[in-house]
Amino acid sequence: GAVVPEEARGRATALSSFKRYFDDAWMTSLSDGDDAIVKDFMLEVCDGEFIIAACATPLDGASVAAGGAMREDERGDVGNTRREMGRIAAQAQAAEQAQARMQGAPSMARITFHLLKTKTGEKLDAFTFTDDFMHLPRNGAVSLRNNTLAVLSLKHQRVVFLKILPEGRFEEMHTIGEYACAEDERIVVEHESREREFIEVEREIGAKIQARRAAIAGARRPLLSGLTQRLVTFLYHDACKSSSADALRLLHRNFERYVSLVMLRMRMLDANLLLIKFGTPEYALARRGDRVIGPTMYTVYDMRESKFIHAATSMSDSQ
């Protein structure tokens, strides 16, 4: 609306007061196209030598999956190496499987983390996530420990670990999601190869296996993998060791709830331990002000051992 002279004078006074104590050190443009800077996101790394800022495109719930994370240079050119394209294809496959747990998740066509030099504002490197969704405000999707940055992709349910190198560059270290460790993918590939050989030899039994697969596919229930499989395994072993006679019965009663949980938040406790908060997809996608109540679970995941070591749930024994 119209600004009255008194308010205008007040604002001019405040602005002159601010300039009395502060000078512009530098100014750098981060957004490109329909990107917009995330105003309440900022990280300081490498003892204040670098700043990490973020910009993202508007939410679009109807965007088409393009797969995971990719490196780009300051001109915006995406690397085209065979190794990188293979990694993007693998992440796209993992993304399709993760979609089953995050139906209805909105999407940002592009989320870019910029690494800037604190003294000059020079843009040193950028790391981009495509067709993704994460809670960036108040640094909700990230966890920083020393020079390691962990980023939680809410839509694709994976944690990407980036190392900030002293020369001012992002280096992708590893990802936890569909596969919890490097051996997982190799084991799954070997298992599928042996299964195909078995079906060729035992055609009669193979037909029964294929019928079972069709039944599982018809139920729209994917096989458990990655962190979900490890979480349920931990809960099962914990129930077996419990002194309560009803521990396993309660696990079976709540099994469907457990396998439907998704990662909501995460924090690095140290170099090996990850604190992960799980909740329902409805809770994960709720907007501010929505009254969505659902079970939540806090867990501690040991990345070195690739297993959960502790879990605490809000679900009572009577549920």
Side-chain angles (χ1 to χ4, degrees), residues 53-229:
C55 57
T57 54
L59 285 175
D60 177 15
S63 60
V64 179
M70 64 183 72
R71 289 297 305 277
E72 63 176 17
D73 58 25
E74 278 305 311
R75 295 175 302 171
D77 296 330
V78 177
N80 225 0
T81 64
R82 181 178 302 177
R83 175 177 174 272
E84 188 168 30
M85 294 303 292
R87 177 173 62 83
I88 293 173
Q91 288 179 332
Q93 182 181 6
E96 292 176 359
Q97 296 177 358
Q99 288 274 8
R101 292 183 294 168
M102 291 297 291
Q103 287 291 338
S107 179
M108 301 170 184
R110 183 171 58 257
I111 305 168
T112 304
F113 292 93
H114 297 275
L115 188 63
L116 312 174
K117 196 167 185 177
T118 306
K119 290 184 179 180
T120 64
E122 177 187 0
K123 292 193 289 185
L124 302 174
D125 200 4
F127 196 92
T128 299
F129 293 81
T130 61
D131 181 48
D132 217 324
F133 177 64
M134 54 185 65
H135 289 306
L136 291 176
R138 296 175 296 281
N139 302 352
V142 301
S143 179
L144 180 67
R145 183 173 180 82
N146 298 325
N147 295 335
T148 299
L149 179 68
V151 183
L152 172 61
S153 162
L154 191 61
K155 180 173 183 178
H156 299 308
Q157 286 294 289
R158 61 167 73 105
V159 181
V160 180
F161 292 87
L162 305 174
K163 187 174 183 179
I164 295 89
L165 301 180
E167 60 266 28
R169 186 168 59 86
F170 287 118
E171 180 181 71
E172 185 176 1
M173 299 169 63
H174 61 279
T175 299
I176 297 176
E178 178 68 15
Y179 302 116
C181 63
E183 288 293 298
D184 284 4
E185 186 174 5
R186 180 186 61 81
I187 292 173
V188 171
V189 171
E190 289 181 356
H191 171 74
E192 291 176 346
S193 176
R194 289 196 300 268
E195 187 175 7
R196 285 193 297 268
E197 294 175 358
F198 173 77
I199 291 175
E200 284 296 321
V201 175
E202 302 289 346
R203 293 187 179 277
E204 182 179 351
I205 300 177
K208 295 179 181 179
I209 294 176
Q210 291 174 358
R212 179 179 175 83
R213 278 181 174 174
I216 294 175
R220 296 183 180 178
R221 169 77 175 275
L223 297 178
L224 301 181
S225 59
L227 291 179
T228 303
Q229 186 272 336

